[in-house]
């Protein structure tokens, strides 16, 4: 039970869920970067590029025939149409490089957020287990406080759990809520990675009608959607970072008041894990979980899709 209490307090105070998700997303991003340059992906892109080039040429002549039938074709419009077709072909030929560049831009934005979010979230003015922890200003390792926890009755036995049942439940509920958010983030990141790969493979066909309606064309919208999918990783991390900072600030406010007086100790941690203090944390985590499932929508709004 001592380890579970320690882990719950660590989740509440140090934002370790954000770090875990950041590490998972980083591994997913590394896998995606490898796939973006994979030979099989390049072969599939080549096949669909050939199909897309044929479709683009067919659409060109269909557009010219439509304009000619309506006596709307002029030399200026003819030149403009062929310039658009030429530019679209160039984009199609270098589409893989363009997608890799867009992915790198999105990952650059993710890295900037990651560098901010994975830094220590320890708050000034709070002392963590003074008298036991050599440096109370920093969160201690479990081995440092293990004996103190067990000495206070938090042992791995049924009788110890029965005596500390209120603390046990108070630790279990917020931990469960935070792990639900963590699993949701993992699922969203994994599913988003699959979508990025699929959008990469079918991108040549998706951008065929690139210049039909200018910036509102289906091709431009497809590229924006691809960028939004890549940006979703940063949005997921941003949601968890915001939730982590909010709950850390809430815990600091609790510990700064009476009877804690800015100290988290073995003697008062049962009060910290009381239902009164845990309910707001649970609400924050559930709100973060809901926000994670809207991460793609937020990314679309950022890109303007």
């Amino acid at each position: 039970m001592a380890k579970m209490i320690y882990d719950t307090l660590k989740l509440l105070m140090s934002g370790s869920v954000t770090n875990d998700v950041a590490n998972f997303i980083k591994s997913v991003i590394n896998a995606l970067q490898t796939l973006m340059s994979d030979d099989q992906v390049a072969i599939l892109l080549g096949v669909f590029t050939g199909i897309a080039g044929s479709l683009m040429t067919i659409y060109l002549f269909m557009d010219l025939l439509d304009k000619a039938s309506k006596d709307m074709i002029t030399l200026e419009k003819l030149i403009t149409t062929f310039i658009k077709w030429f530019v679209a072909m160039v984009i199609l030929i270098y589409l893989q490089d363009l997608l890799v560049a867009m992915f790198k831009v999105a990952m650059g934005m993710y890295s900037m957020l990651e560098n901010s979010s994975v830094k220590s979230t320890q708050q000034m003015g709070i002392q963590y287990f003074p008298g036991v922890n050599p440096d109370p200003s920093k969160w201690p390792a479990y081995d440092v406080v293990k004996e103190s926890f067990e000495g206070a009755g938090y042992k791995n036995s049924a009788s110890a759990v029965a005596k500390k049942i209120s603390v046990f439940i108070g630790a279990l509920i917020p931990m469960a809520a935070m792990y639900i958010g963590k699993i949701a983030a993992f699922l969203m990141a994994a599913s988003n990675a699959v979508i990025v790969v699929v959008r990469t493979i079918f991108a040549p066909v998706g951008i065929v009608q690139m210049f039909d309606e200018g910036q509102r064309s289906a091709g431009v919208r497809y590229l924006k959607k691809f960028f939004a999918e890549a940006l979703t990783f940063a949005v997921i991390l941003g949601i968890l970072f915001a939730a982590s900072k909010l709950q850390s600030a809430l815990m600091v406010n609790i510990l700064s008041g009476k009877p804690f007086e800015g100290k988290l100790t073995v003697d008062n941690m049962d009060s910290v894990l009381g239902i009164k203090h845990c309910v707001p944390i649970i609400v924050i985590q559930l709100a973060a979980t809901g926000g994670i499932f809207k991460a793609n929508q937020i990314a679309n709004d950022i890109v303007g899709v």
Side-chain angles (χ1 to χ4, degrees):
M1 185 170 67
K3 186 66 166 64
M4 191 198 77
I5 300 296
Y6 171 86
D7 288 340
T8 302
L9 290 170
K10 183 180 179 182
L11 287 171
L12 293 174
M13 300 303 305
S14 66
S16 58
V17 169
T18 304
N19 294 347
D20 292 343
V21 173
N23 291 333
F24 176 76
I25 292 179
K26 192 171 184 179
S27 65
V28 171
I29 289 171
N30 290 336
L32 281 174
Q33 288 175 333
T34 302
L35 280 173
M36 295 286 279
S37 303
D38 186 71
D39 291 338
Q40 291 183 339
V41 173
I43 291 171
L44 288 171
L45 273 173
V47 172
F48 285 114
T49 297
I51 296 171
S54 301
L55 289 173
M56 203 174 284
T57 305
I58 291 171
Y59 290 152
L60 168 69
F61 285 104
M62 287 176 63
D63 184 46
L64 291 176
L65 286 171
D66 181 61
K67 288 178 179 178
S69 65
K70 296 177 181 179
D71 295 326
M72 295 174 59
I73 191 165
T74 62
L75 180 61
E76 182 182 349
K77 289 184 178 180
L78 184 63
I79 293 173
T80 302
T81 301
F82 272 102
I83 289 174
K84 288 181 178 180
W85 175 83
F86 177 76
V87 173
M89 277 294 184
V90 171
I91 292 174
L92 187 61
I93 292 169
Y94 293 100
L95 182 59
Q96 185 174 9
D97 295 331
L98 177 62
L99 293 176
V100 170
M102 292 175 68
F103 185 77
K104 286 182 178 179
V105 170
M107 292 309 99
M109 296 173 69
Y110 171 83
S111 296
M112 288 189 293
L113 183 59
E114 181 191 21
N115 291 335
S116 298
S117 64
V118 300
K119 289 179 181 178
S120 176
T121 56
Q122 305 303 330
Q123 304 291 331
M124 296 296 292
I126 302 300
Q127 296 185 44
Y128 303 101
F129 306 104
V132 178
N133 184 8
D135 186 357
S137 64
K138 296 181 180 179
W139 186 260
Y142 175 63
D143 292 339
V144 174
V145 296
K146 180 181 178 181
E147 290 186 7
S148 297
F149 275 46
E150 292 179 349
Y154 298 98
K155 298 179 179 179
N156 296 324
S157 64
S159 59
V161 172
K163 290 179 181 178
K164 301 284 187 178
I165 189 65
S166 61
V167 182
F168 179 79
I169 295 173
L172 187 63
I173 296 175
M175 176 176 278
M178 280 183 276
Y179 272 101
I180 289 172
K182 185 176 178 179
I183 292 170
F186 282 4
L187 288 173
M188 191 68 185
S191 64
N192 199 67
V194 173
I195 293 172
V196 168
V197 175
V198 173
R199 282 194 176 275
T200 300
I201 293 172
F202 288 99
V205 180
I207 69 163
V208 167
Q209 295 175 303
M210 176 165 285
F211 293 108
D212 284 0
E213 300 177 17
Q215 293 184 357
R216 297 180 181 179
S217 69
V220 173
R221 190 164 61 249
Y222 190 94
L223 291 177
K224 284 184 175 181
K225 281 277 190 182
F226 173 84
F227 186 70
E229 297 291 353
L231 196 61
T232 301
F233 295 112
V235 176
I236 292 172
L237 189 63
I239 291 169
L240 287 175
F241 176 62
S244 175
K245 295 295 284 185
L246 186 58
Q247 77 178 28
S248 294
L250 183 62
M251 293 304 298
V252 167
N253 287 337
I254 292 171
L255 290 172
S256 297
K258 296 181 179 180
F260 306 105
E261 302 298 340
K263 297 179 181 179
L264 176 63
T265 66
V266 175
D267 296 327
N268 66 20
M269 64 184 184
D270 55 341
S271 299
V272 174
L273 294 173
I275 298 297
K276 175 184 176 182
H277 298 143
C278 286
V279 168
I281 301 299
I282 295 169
V283 171
I284 292 171
Q285 289 301 319
L286 292 178
T289 303
I292 288 169
F293 286 112
K294 290 187 177 182
N296 187 254
Q297 180 181 336
I298 296 172
N300 286 334
D301 292 340
I302 293 171
V303 176
V305 182

